[in-house]
Amino acid sequence: MLEKNRLLKASSWGVSLLLALPILAIFITSFGQTDDLFSHLLASVMGTYTSNTLLLVSGVVVLSLLMGVPSAWLMASFRVPGDRVLQWALVLPLAIPGYIVGYIYTDWFDFAGPVQIYLRDVMGWQSASEYWFPDIRTLPGACFVLALVLHPYIYLLARTAFMEQSRTMTHTARLLGCSPLHSFLRVSFPLARPAVAVGASLVAMETLGDFGTVHFFAVNTLTTAVYDTWLGYSNLNAAAKISAFMLLAIFLLISGERYSRRKQKLFSQSAAPDQVEKEILTGWKKVVAAVWCWGLFILAFAAPMAQLVFYAVDYISDSSFTDFVQYSINSVYISSIAACIALFIAILVNIYPRFRGSSLSKVPNRISSLGYAVPGTVLAIGVLIPLTSADHIVNFIAVKFDMGRPGLLFSGTMFALIAAFVVRFSAVAIGSVESSLSKISPSLDMAARTMGCNARLTFSRVQLPLIRRGCLIAALLVFIESMKELNASLLLRPFNFETLATYVFNYASDEQLEYAGMPAILLVLVGLIPLILINRSLEQTHK
């Protein structure tokens, strides 16, 4: 028994350290010798890249707050026409990749797009010099598109926070003469601030790691700097330095968010089911609320999705069905492997503290979850560094023993891509398995041990059957996230290997998304699955 516990401990710590190795590799490489390229970038364009990144993150967060918080408050507190549909429909924009929405809106609002053509026909304008129209392919345009896609992070967390608030507080504010708006500003929003802050930090991290949208909008950020430095200049050292700077920015962002509410404490009883009575809106307030919520849903999801369906139907004869099938198989294959490995890791790092019980035993769990906060482009750098070293070692040993030169066994194959998926999305599986295990009473474990079951039998006969649903959800979430991942796929895929995400992005970057309508729709449909699961869980919690 002692030997098995030691094996479980060693395996848990070993796996967690392997998952943290890419992050450590980035910092170690960044302290290497500074070359001329990085000095040139630092003196010429890094200031612009940094300022663009700060403006982009700030703009997306502000717009996401303006979109997500009011809609969350309306859905949680008022009866809006169609609110039973809206409460889950407002989450759906998360399923559409930002670069797809960016392409569609650019196609609509460019000079040659249908909107400006219609305005010129109606108003009699002949050229662009006769009128002014906002340029969509700019930094503000990228902020708007990313906010449309990412604001559901804030909506989900803020809506949950508003629904959990005790109605006695808002009722008291109303009795004291506050209008619904004043009650929101003075009571509801301050109580929901921690959840809103977490949602804003998620939006900021997703924006910081976005590559597809900013690349399409020609907005140079630190993420595009990493991509161009690596692939354009073939300089891994300089790319690692920029990546380390981004990791530091993410660390400061998370630390700042937590520090800002370090003294904030909330002692409030959650609203009971019978307390959650939504106010019925009438008159112009009802119209404004309906237009706001339904308009946001149409702009962020319904209209882009309708355009994708039109592309798929209208250009079906020009699309390559063979390529679509092959790239779908590629995506399913590597995503399934990543999901299985991530699930195994999640079970391992969660079972160890379950049997050990000490605070130190929870450290591997936390270490294994670090990769989720790292943007895919940066993580690709971190994965490539140790894998390249491993390839050099293997080739050196093979040559030493006259076995030939095997080549790139790790960094040049699907191994690198799967490793990146596992490092980045293991946190998703770990959280799901941890939540399922926490619902199992320790008394069941004790009863199994008193009946002679060791740790292995206790897990296989007691715990595993009870967490089976959580394990399936964990594997499904990792599978779906891996299917949609673009940044790491672009940088780590083997030659002549495409996934659905890279296939759609290549057409979008060539401004030919209409030929990839079916793969784009499949990506969106795959992304809907976790959103449906999350929304159903939220509804069951507050019934």
Side-chain angles (χ1 to χ4, degrees):
M1 179 68 68
L2 184 59
E3 291 180 357
K4 291 182 179 180
N5 285 337
R6 286 177 178 174
L7 178 61
L8 182 62
K9 177 181 179 181
S11 302
S12 182
W13 278 96
V15 166
S16 63
L17 293 177
L18 281 176
L19 293 180
L21 183 60
I23 301 175
L24 183 62
I26 291 175
F27 283 105
I28 293 175
T29 306
S30 67
F31 285 112
Q33 184 179 1
T34 303
D35 51 24
D36 294 336
L37 175 61
F38 183 76
S39 301
H40 171 70
L41 293 175
L42 195 61
S44 56
V45 297
M46 282 298 290
T48 302
Y49 287 175
T50 304
S51 62
N52 285 346
T53 302
L54 292 175
L55 290 173
L56 180 72
V57 172
S58 302
V60 173
V61 169
V62 170
L63 289 176
S64 297
L65 288 171
L66 293 177
M67 295 177 185
V69 174
S71 55
W73 179 55
L74 290 172
M75 287 295 99
S77 305
F78 300 96
R79 289 289 181 187
V80 179
D83 56 352
R84 289 186 177 274
V85 176
L86 275 174
Q87 64 183 359
W88 59 264
L90 288 172
V91 186
L92 300 185
L94 280 177
I96 305 185
Y99 58 89
I100 293 180
V101 178
Y103 175 88
I104 291 173
Y105 271 89
T106 301
D107 187 45
W108 287 344
F109 293 102
D110 260 352
F111 180 78
V115 174
Q116 292 202 51
I117 290 176
Y118 175 78
L119 290 176
R120 288 195 295 271
D121 291 341
V122 171
M123 304 301 296
W125 296 324
Q126 299 297 321
S127 64
S129 60
E130 298 182 16
Y131 68 99
W132 177 86
F133 195 85
D135 188 3
I136 185 68
R137 194 171 291 190
T138 57
L139 179 61
C143 291
F144 174 73
V145 168
L146 285 173
L148 283 179
V149 173
L150 298 177
H151 80 272
Y153 281 118
I154 295 176
Y155 164 78
L156 269 174
L157 294 171
R159 178 184 163 220
T160 303
F162 289 138
M163 292 174 68
E164 290 177 347
Q165 291 176 6
S166 176
R167 290 292 183 259
T168 57
M169 294 185 178
T170 54
H171 290 168
T172 302
R174 298 295 297 276
L175 290 174
L176 292 173
C178 290
S179 65
L181 180 60
H182 288 160
S183 175
F184 165 75
L185 294 175
R186 297 182 181 182
V187 179
S188 299
F189 182 73
L191 291 175
R193 181 177 167 239
V196 173
V198 172
S201 64
L202 287 174
V203 170
M205 286 190 291
E206 290 290 335
T207 304
L208 187 62
D210 179 82
F211 172 75
T213 309
V214 295
H215 175 78
F216 182 75
F217 278 77
V219 177
N220 293 319
T221 63
L222 292 175
T223 302
T224 59
V226 173
Y227 185 87
D228 293 338
T229 303
W230 184 0
L231 295 187
Y233 296 102
S234 300
N235 195 311
L236 188 60
N237 182 272
K241 292 180 185 298
I242 302 173
S243 300
F245 180 73
M246 293 181 65
L247 285 177
L248 182 61
I250 292 173
F251 173 77
L252 293 176
L253 179 67
I254 297 174
S255 300
E257 183 271 325
R258 291 181 178 179
Y259 181 80
S260 65
R261 52 188 178 91
R262 66 194 185 283
K263 295 182 179 180
Q264 186 178 37
K265 297 184 184 295
L266 174 63
F267 301 97
S268 174
Q269 187 177 2
S270 297
D274 57 349
Q275 286 183 297
V276 184
E277 298 177 359
K278 297 182 179 180
E279 183 177 340
I280 300 177
L281 295 175
T282 58
W284 65 269
K285 295 180 180 179
K286 177 181 179 180
V287 174
V288 170
V291 169
W292 173 264
C293 294
W294 280 107
L296 194 59
F297 165 68
I298 293 171
L299 286 175
F301 182 80
M305 191 63 182
Q307 184 66 72
L308 288 179
V309 173
F310 170 78
Y311 286 156
V313 174
D314 201 43
Y315 291 87
I316 189 170
S317 60
D318 299 321
S319 302
S320 176
F321 186 75
T322 303
D323 290 343
F324 169 62
V325 173
Q326 180 60 51
Y327 301 149
S328 299
I329 293 174
N330 292 346
S331 295
V332 170
Y333 177 66
I334 61 174
S335 299
S336 300
I337 296 175
C340 293
I341 297 174
L343 178 60
F344 172 78
I345 292 173
I347 293 175
L348 181 64
V349 299
N350 279 299
I351 286 297
Y352 171 52
R354 180 81 179 189
F355 289 115
R356 188 68 177 174
S358 64
S359 57
L360 188 62
S361 63
K362 298 179 181 179
V363 175
N365 184 310
R366 303 295 176 255
I367 294 177
S368 302
S369 303
L370 292 176
Y372 193 68
V374 182
T377 308
V378 175
L379 185 62
I381 298 286
V383 168
L384 187 69
I385 293 171
L387 292 186
T388 303
S389 300
D391 280 330
H392 285 307
I393 294 173
V394 170
N395 280 268
F396 175 79
I397 294 175
V399 172
K400 193 75 172 177
F401 289 93
D402 296 326
M403 299 171 59
R405 192 179 294 274
L408 302 178
L409 296 178
F410 301 110
S411 59
T413 63
M414 286 188 293
F415 184 90
L417 189 55
I418 294 172
F421 289 167
V422 171
V423 173
R424 178 149 166 73
F425 300 124
S426 286
V428 178
I430 290 171
S432 181
V433 174
E434 183 179 19
S435 176
S436 298
L437 275 174
S438 65
K439 297 176 183 178
I440 301 177
S441 174
S443 61
L444 294 178
D445 298 352
M446 298 177 188
R449 301 299 288 272
T450 56
M451 296 178 68
C453 292
N454 56 23
R456 181 181 62 82
L457 291 176
T458 301
F459 170 71
S460 61
R461 294 183 179 180
V462 178
Q463 296 170 347
L464 184 58
L466 294 175
I467 65 171
R468 186 174 299 168
R469 184 173 182 272
C471 290
L472 290 175
I473 293 175
L476 179 64
L477 291 176
V478 175
F479 173 83
I480 293 167
E481 292 292 341
S482 300
M483 288 277 290
K484 295 167 53 183
E485 174 62 26
L486 173 67
N487 297 353
S489 300
L490 282 173
L491 295 173
L492 295 176
R493 58 183 171 150
F495 291 110
N496 299 322
F497 184 88
E498 296 279 358
T499 65
L500 280 177
T502 60
Y503 180 64
V504 173
F505 173 76
N506 288 335
Y507 273 105
S509 59
D510 292 337
E511 301 193 12
Q512 295 180 329
L513 182 63
E514 54 270 16
Y515 296 112
M518 287 192 299
I521 291 174
L522 180 58
L523 278 180
V524 175
L525 294 178
V526 166
L528 290 178
I529 297 175
L531 299 180
I532 294 173
L533 292 175
I534 292 171
N535 194 71
R536 287 187 62 183
S537 175
L538 184 63
E539 290 178 348
Q540 292 173 0
T541 302
H542 295 283
K543 278 185 178 179

